[in-house]
Amino acid sequence: MELEKYVEGRVRSVIDKHEIKGKIAVALSGGKDSAVCFYILDKFGLEVVPFHINLGIEGYSKECYEKSLALCKKLGYELEVVEGMKVNSCSMCGTVKRYIMNKFAYERGCDYLATGHNLSDLITFAFNNLASVNILNFRGMKPLLEGKPEYKMVAKIRPLYYLKDEECRAYANIKRIPYAEGKCPLARQAPTVKIKEWLHELEREKPGILLNFLKSFSKIEDKMRKEGKPNICKVCGYPAYHDVCKFCKLKSRKKN
Ligand code: AMP
Ligand code: ZN
């Protein structure tokens, strides 16, 4: 009971602080985090539109779809499935997912796109970017990323922003939320997997350190708020940081 209240309270604080209302597209990966995210937003009585992207990853995508579907059935929703581009690496997958998630939410006229990114994910992402001096990626380390309608960019919300991996997993288990246990075969080699293990070890030794990291990392962004304005992709008209968006570049590379 304690944990349930804690988890829901953390989500509540994000929703209330940012006054989230209206239609929310919820990206279901089949994993525990987005499942918990969806479950709690529904529990709060918010208007949610669940969807899943089929990434065609052998030995993985099928289970993800089935678990997403099972959760939607349990909560009385239809699941929309969007066919993604067939991906063969982790970084490619990230580009494809981000693109399709935004496009889906935009086309459905949603006010927000909600993802299952949690505290552990965000800090792992931050360390990984730090290691490769990807400073611009420190934009977007907040629970809410405002939308820019003129760029067809939907606002993004991360309801699990203050929650660690194990808290999300425990919540999913208590509530008997169906989720895929497997790890993506493409991600097994990714450095982020190791970084995350290391961060969790550190957190066990120094409880609270992840939250402190998050506080510091999210300040980097404020310092460069004014820079890095997005463009519109010349090919598809969705947001891009260059003339042509990363997704369209991938697509044309695949054709050639
Ligand atoms: P990941 O990039 O796998 O860490 O996932 C981060 C978030 O993106 C998840 O919590 C989901 O909200 C969303 N997501 C990941 N994969 C999918 C997918 N195949 N379909 C829909 N949403 C996804
Ligand atoms: Zn494009």
Side-chain angles (χ1 to χ4, degrees), residues 99 233-240 244-249:
Y99 183 92
C233 172
K234 272 189 192 159
V235 180
C236 71
Y238 277 86
V244 175
C245 81
K246 273 173 93 175
F247 184 91
C248 286
K249 273 187 201 150

Side-chain angles (χ1 to χ4, degrees), residues 128-140:
N128 196 41
N129 282 312
L130 208 54
S132 35
V133 204
N134 265 333
I135 296 299
L136 284 184
N137 278 352
F138 283 95
R139 285 175 304 202

Side-chain angles (χ1 to χ4, degrees), residues 82 179 186 234:
V82 186
Y179 66 89
L186 298 177
K234 272 189 192 159

